């Protein structure tokens, strides 16, 4: 697994301090952006409330739980910046579960774009080029590991 520089870790930790305290509202900004970028992703959430529109999804408790789950994965990564490898098994497994749920790896990149959008909106002046790059590097590590798990699961099925 790739490593982050000390400066990158400092930028990520500093910016997450406030955002991490309000996970759901920030997660909602992210997912609303995600559905703007690719409305077809709404169809992958099959809960008791059907996610036909972003508004439907946002009124589904199960969907909001998924928003929380995503934010908790980010929170775990921020808490383990010095030892991200300890999350490897978890992230491989998570990628494999998303393969089974019909989520394509390209969609993980769109979540990354939505994460940056949320950071830009929430941090305003604090959203610098260095901070953007630090978050992008961390998210790329998460997604690279999830994608490895995704591929492994896909291969297992076509064996
Ligand atoms: C387009 C992107 C994504 C879609 C469509 C998607 C969809 C889903 C679906 C359908 C499930 C199973 C039902 C559920 O638990 O709500 C799930 C589970 C989950 N997702 Fe996602 N997901 C996406 C991205 C992500 C990302 C980027 C993360 C974390 C970085 C993540 C974290 C989780 C977690 C932690 C679970 C629960 C897994 C478990 O049950 O052990 N998801 N996702």
């Amino acid at each position: 697994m790739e490593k982050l520089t000390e400066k990158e870790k400092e930028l990520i930790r500093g910016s997450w301090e406030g955002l991490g305290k309000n996970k759901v509202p920030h997660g909602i900004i992210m997912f609303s952006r995600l559905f703007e970028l690719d409305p077809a992703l709404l169809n992958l959430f099959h809960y008791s409330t059907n996610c036909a529109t972003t508004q439907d999804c946002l009124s589904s408790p199960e969907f909001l739980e998924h928003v929380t789950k995503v934010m908790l994965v980010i929170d775990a990564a921020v808490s383990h910046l010095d030892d991200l490898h300890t999350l490897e098994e978890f992230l491989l497994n998570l990628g494999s579960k998303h393969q089974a749920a019909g989520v394509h790896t390209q969609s993980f990149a769109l979540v990354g774009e939505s994460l940056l959008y949320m950071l830009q909106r929430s941090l305003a002046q604090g959203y610098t080029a260095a901070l953007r790059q630090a978050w992008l590097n961390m998210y790329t590590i998460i997604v690279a590991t999830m994608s490895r798990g995704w591929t492994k699961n896909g291969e297992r099925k076509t064996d």
Side-chain angles (χ1 to χ4, degrees):
M1 265 179 149
E2 296 289 317
K3 288 205 172 125
L4 299 163
T5 65
E6 290 309 311
K7 181 69 195 163
E8 286 172 334
K9 291 180 199 172
E10 192 185 307
L11 286 167
I12 295 170
R13 287 188 188 113
S15 50
W16 189 248
E17 219 167 280
L19 302 179
K21 289 195 184 101
N22 269 313
K23 294 186 184 63
V24 175
H26 290 110
I28 288 176
I29 298 176
M30 257 173 77
F31 272 86
S32 304
R33 179 64 178 162
L34 180 71
F35 296 140
E36 267 174 24
L37 295 174
D38 186 357
L41 290 174
L42 283 163
N43 302 323
L44 294 173
F45 293 98
H46 310 281
Y47 298 130
S48 48
T49 318
N50 224 350
C51 279
T53 64
T54 303
Q55 218 37 54
D56 291 343
C57 253
L58 295 180
S59 56
S60 151
E62 297 105 317
F63 176 76
L64 293 177
E65 259 175 51
H66 182 266
V67 170
T68 305
K69 288 175 193 171
V70 174
M71 298 308 265
L72 286 175
V73 174
I74 296 172
D75 195 60
V78 176
S79 309
H80 288 87
L81 290 177
D82 289 327
D83 53 3
L84 277 173
H85 63 273
T86 59
L87 299 179
E88 191 165 9
E89 272 312 308
F90 171 79
L91 292 173
L92 288 169
N93 194 27
L94 193 56
S96 149
K97 284 184 175 161
H98 283 80
Q99 195 277 340
V103 185
H104 289 281
T105 49
Q106 300 95 295
S107 305
F108 295 151
L110 286 186
V111 178
E113 217 177 303
S114 311
L115 168 67
L116 295 179
Y117 171 85
M118 180 279 283
L119 292 170
Q120 181 170 23
R121 263 195 53 178
S122 310
L123 300 170
Q125 304 286 68
Y127 185 77
T128 59
L131 178 122
R132 177 187 186 280
Q133 195 58 51
W135 274 96
L136 189 58
N137 290 351
M138 185 191 90
Y139 186 74
T140 303
I141 296 172
I142 296 178
V143 162
T145 315
M146 283 176 73
S147 299
R148 272 198 285 131
W150 190 101
T151 307
K152 261 195 212 157
N153 199 43
E155 281 167 0
R156 220 172 289 144
K157 291 222 170 97
T158 52
D159 274 350

